[in-house]
Amino acid sequence: MSKRLFKPLIVIAILLVNNMFSQQNERPNIVWITCEDISPYIAAFGDEVIKTPNIDKLAEEGVKYTSTYTVAGVCSPSRAGIITGMHPISTGAQHMRTKAIEAKFMPEGVPMYDAVLPAEVKAFPEYLRKEGYYTTNNMKEDYQFKAPVTVWDESSSAASYKYRDKDQPFFSVYNLFITHESQVMEYPETLTVDPDDVEEEIPAYYEDSPTVRKDFANLLTHIEMMDAQVGELIAQLKEDGLYENSYIFFFSDHGGNLPWMKREILERGTHIPFVVKYPKGDHAQTEVKDLTSSIDFAPTVLSIAGIEPPEYLQGQAFIGEYASENKRDYVYAARDRMDAQYDRVRSVRDDNFRYIYNYHPELPKYQDLNYRKGIPLMQEILDKKEAGKITNPYLADWFEPTKPVEELYNVSEDPDEVHNLAENPEYQDKLKEMRLAYLDWVSRVGDLSYMSEPEMVKEYMWKGNGEAPQTKPVEIIQAKDGIHLVAQTPGTSIGYRIVKKSDKEEKSEHVVKSWDYEIIFKMKSEGDLVETPKRWKVYDSQTLKLKKGERLEINAMRIGYKPYKTEFVK
């Protein structure tokens, strides 16, 4: 090759390398601010009573999505859908929940278990880590399975983007617990919302009373508390110089949280507030009315990061390089076991209507769940029922001994979904359309609730072995170019660490900064120091270079399986 040709080739190669590093450095930071158990009771979404200046400002500077729905009306199944981009009914994560505080609280015949996901399914932050992202979760997971060490660099009340390497892009989740159902079981010293101001908030399925108004004021008060926490987090991002150049999502894990709201796969249990602030204020003051599902969040984050979403994902990206050109016609949701009470209900929502299919019409809509009896309103409703004093037919319907097989609601005209149109002759064409949409959905994604939960766990997931499967040993291959790792269990995620011979296992600590349940329940305090977890790298078929005396630590697991751990010293 002539010198005349060689020099330009060198210049081109340098430009390509610089461009590659430039693109890596330009990968956007992504922050999720998640809260718990709220429907869109936010001023920016039209609520005229509440004051939510921080979320309102975020919505003003970003995109407000007004038709976003979760795939379940309760924490664990919904969060399973968010972290996997899959409908829980297709992964075995549909029951609330797979693990109780103690085994005695599980239904008879059902062991505590981690959902064994299909082999190809991963918790999506693992894909970000493979591409160099630093991922943190602060701190609730509640995915229906134990996350492999490959998912988060850190998941704790001290987890923060602050601990990433210099110039490393990050994906950080902050969960705000203050609006959780448990928090409206008692009243704060001061309600920031006057109970006399919430009359227009009271849905048609409640009977107006001082308790109803006080509990609604309590719910809105806790949302205002949460809004203040959003303000604190945004202030932190601005102080760290990250606010302007980051994507910031704000959303709730599902709707709720008062009686006959949370757990339902109606509007009140699945419709959530959702905002995305783009870097540099792009698309500010935009409102999107297109249907969006919470299982779309995973592929959207990957798309924003320039990562092509895997084909198995059931959600679709709506932002970024791989945003889908097709808008959703429908969103879907499912309800199965709640605590120890079984039911099987499915839901389809289009722009105006909601369709419900009840597999157990012989059961009432109401489930006798002890947990929510701590809410004053729930106790008042039950007292009225026992005394025969419920006069509102819509509320009385909750306790009817049976329910219809099909329900159809015109949500645009009946937002509280109290007028079932399924038997109305004028809506039979719509009923058939929605029924077909439902059947098409379950035929595409599958529904593991066709079998009982004990059968699903013991036979389908555990293959009749009486316990969770064991991830098989990872094969360690020593080749001339280095070490290669080969998983023997399909779907295994392999985490690894190389510990140098001279390294001392010195413990380091991170500072607690959180708005989650450990702070709420005083399990930890702001400023506490917690031991930093081991930081595992994600193995992605690369060749590992191990010097003599160095130790290779491996932590490998298929989701739902027991992990395999080993060490190798060269």
Side-chain angles (χ1 to χ4, degrees):
M1 182 182 295
S2 68
K3 292 183 179 179
R4 183 178 299 177
L5 179 61
F6 185 68
K7 287 182 178 179
L9 287 176
I10 292 177
V11 173
I12 292 171
I14 292 173
L15 290 173
L16 287 173
V17 170
N18 287 340
N19 183 57
M20 179 184 71
F21 281 107
S22 175
Q23 288 179 344
Q24 183 173 353
N25 290 335
E26 289 174 1
R27 283 193 167 173
N29 301 317
I30 306 164
V31 179
W32 277 10
I33 304 174
T34 65
C35 65
E36 309 229 10
D37 300 11
I38 69 164
S39 302
Y41 294 115
I42 305 292
F45 286 79
D47 193 285
E48 297 180 354
V49 176
I50 200 166
K51 294 180 175 62
T52 49
N54 296 295
I55 299 171
D56 296 348
K57 184 65 173 177
L58 192 68
E60 180 184 334
E61 296 180 352
V63 179
K64 178 175 63 175
Y65 293 81
T66 58
S67 301
T68 301
Y69 294 84
T70 55
V71 295
V74 72
C75 300
S76 300
S78 181
R79 287 173 177 267
I82 289 169
I83 200 69
T84 61
M86 303 283 285
H87 285 283
I89 60 171
S90 68
T91 63
Q94 71 271 32
H95 295 289
M96 177 65 188
R97 53 175 39 94
T98 60
K99 287 184 176 180
I101 297 174
E102 296 181 44
K104 66 181 181 181
F105 295 116
M106 296 293 288
E108 184 176 354
V110 180
M112 295 206 290
Y113 64 99
D114 286 330
V116 176
L117 305 189
E120 69 275 13
V121 177
K122 306 286 187 183
F124 80 86
E126 182 171 317
Y127 297 114
L128 294 170
R129 293 198 64 208
K130 285 182 178 181
E131 297 300 324
Y133 269 77
Y134 183 74
T135 66
T136 65
N137 179 61
N138 189 329
M139 63 166 289
K140 185 175 181 179
E141 295 183 358
D142 207 11
Y143 307 142
Q144 304 279 54
F145 55 82
K146 179 177 175 58
V149 296
T150 47
V151 177
W152 301 110
D153 283 282
E154 184 172 359
S155 181
S156 76
S157 56
S160 171
Y161 56 80
K162 294 175 181 287
Y163 302 110
R164 72 194 189 282
D165 293 336
K166 185 179 179 181
D167 296 327
Q168 185 178 13
F170 66 85
F171 170 60
S172 289
V173 179
Y174 290 90
N175 190 65
L176 314 181
F177 191 78
I178 194 68
T179 54
H180 186 264
E181 180 182 31
S182 61
Q183 301 306 293
V184 297
M185 293 182 181
E186 295 181 356
Y187 302 115
E189 291 184 6
T190 302
L191 292 172
T192 57
V193 175
D194 189 335
D196 290 336
D197 293 338
V198 303
E199 181 178 1
E200 297 300 320
E201 304 273 352
I202 299 172
Y205 48 84
Y206 284 163
E207 292 183 337
D208 194 2
S209 73
T211 302
V212 169
R213 295 191 180 203
K214 189 171 183 182
D215 277 20
F216 243 96
N218 193 19
L219 164 60
L220 299 182
T221 292
H222 279 81
I223 294 175
E224 291 188 349
M225 293 178 184
M226 180 269 293
D227 179 78
Q229 295 175 345
V230 171
E232 293 173 13
L233 185 46
I234 289 175
Q236 175 183 306
L237 291 168
K238 289 181 176 179
E239 182 180 342
D240 294 336
L242 297 169
Y243 180 80
E244 291 298 327
N245 295 316
S246 298
Y247 281 90
I248 300 174
F249 286 40
F250 167 79
F251 61 92
S252 176
D253 61 352
H254 55 79
N257 56 22
L258 295 178
W260 211 9
M261 289 184 176
K262 182 174 179 175
R263 301 174 183 85
E264 304 302 324
I265 51 173
L266 298 165
E267 198 75 4
R268 52 192 180 259
T270 61
H271 188 202
I272 59 170
F274 178 42
V275 172
V276 178
K277 190 213 66 90
Y278 284 63
K280 300 177 182 178
D282 289 348
H283 306 288
Q285 298 183 338
T286 301
E287 179 176 322
V288 174
K289 297 181 180 179
D290 300 334
L291 288 170
T292 309
S293 173
S294 58
I295 62 166
D296 298 336
F297 296 170
T300 297
V301 168
L302 296 179
S303 178
I304 289 171
I307 302 169
E308 185 173 6
E311 290 187 2
Y312 72 79
L313 290 177
Q314 293 164 354
Q316 60 186 50
F318 52 87
I319 300 173
E321 182 179 350
Y322 298 98
S324 174
E325 295 180 358
N326 301 316
K327 299 184 186 302
R328 283 185 170 275
D329 294 319
Y330 308 100
V331 290
Y332 312 91
R335 172 183 176 138
D336 291 88
R337 173 174 60 81
M338 297 291 160
D339 299 345
Q341 305 290 318
Y342 280 99
D343 204 345
R344 185 184 177 194
V345 187
R346 302 294 180 258
S347 168
V348 181
R349 171 76 152 87
D350 69 6
D351 289 333
N352 296 303
F353 286 82
R354 181 183 303 280
Y355 171 82
I356 298 287
Y357 189 87
N358 291 302
Y359 279 86
H360 295 288
E362 76 280 5
L363 297 175
K365 294 179 180 179
Y366 173 75
Q367 290 180 312
D368 191 35
L369 306 176
N370 286 328
Y371 186 75
R372 64 181 168 199
K373 291 179 182 178
I375 301 174
L377 175 57
M378 185 73 252
Q379 198 57 57
E380 178 179 88
I381 292 172
L382 291 176
D383 289 344
K384 284 185 175 181
K385 174 183 175 292
E386 290 302 312
K389 293 183 177 180
I390 292 179
T391 59
N392 183 339
Y394 305 136
L395 178 57
D397 182 58
W398 197 19
F399 298 100
E400 288 295 322
T402 61
K403 56 183 179 285
V405 174
E406 293 181 302
E407 301 171 54
L408 180 69
Y409 299 101
N410 185 344
V411 186
S412 297
E413 298 179 3
D414 176 25
D416 293 329
E417 294 165 312
V418 295
H419 300 291
N420 184 9
L421 304 173
E423 295 184 358
N424 188 319
E426 295 182 13
Y427 291 91
Q428 292 309 296
D429 288 344
K430 192 65 184 181
L431 180 68
K432 291 176 183 177
E433 175 203 327
M434 300 295 278
R435 183 191 298 138
L436 288 174
Y438 161 65
L439 293 173
D440 174 69
W441 169 54
V442 293
S443 69
R444 286 185 289 106
V445 307
D447 188 344
L448 292 178
S449 288
Y450 75 87
M451 66 183 97
S452 69
E453 189 178 13
E455 181 185 0
M456 183 188 75
V457 176
K458 297 176 182 179
E459 302 300 326
Y460 176 79
M461 293 181 176
W462 292 0
K463 309 301 182 185
N465 293 322
E467 62 180 1
Q470 173 67 55
T471 304
K472 293 179 180 179
V474 172
E475 184 179 0
I476 302 173
I477 300 174
Q478 298 186 70
K480 289 183 179 180
D481 62 341
I483 292 176
H484 301 263
L485 305 179
V486 180
Q488 302 301 308
T489 298
T492 297
S493 295
I494 302 176
Y496 74 95
R497 300 172 69 239
I498 295 176
V499 182
K500 297 180 180 179
K501 185 177 180 181
S502 59
D503 281 358
K504 295 181 181 180
E505 289 292 331
E506 295 182 357
K507 294 181 179 180
S508 61
E509 295 176 318
H510 286 169
V511 180
V512 170
K513 177 64 174 177
S514 183
W515 296 266
D516 213 330
Y517 63 88
E518 284 195 344
I519 299 298
I520 297 292
F521 293 125
K522 303 187 185 307
M523 301 162 67
K524 288 187 173 66
S525 299
E526 294 284 344
D528 284 354
L529 297 177
V530 296
E531 185 177 335
T532 306
K534 287 184 177 181
R535 189 169 172 183
W536 299 88
K537 294 183 178 180
V538 182
Y539 184 74
D540 191 25
S541 302
Q542 68 268 43
T543 301
L544 304 181
K545 304 295 184 179
L546 200 65
K547 296 179 182 178
K548 187 174 181 180
E550 290 183 333
R551 183 174 78 251
L552 174 65
E553 297 181 1
I554 296 173
N555 187 320
M557 188 176 81
R558 173 176 168 178
I559 292 177
Y561 281 42
K562 297 176 183 177
Y564 168 75
K565 302 176 184 179
T566 192
E567 294 183 357
F568 172 80
V569 179
K570 187 171 182 180

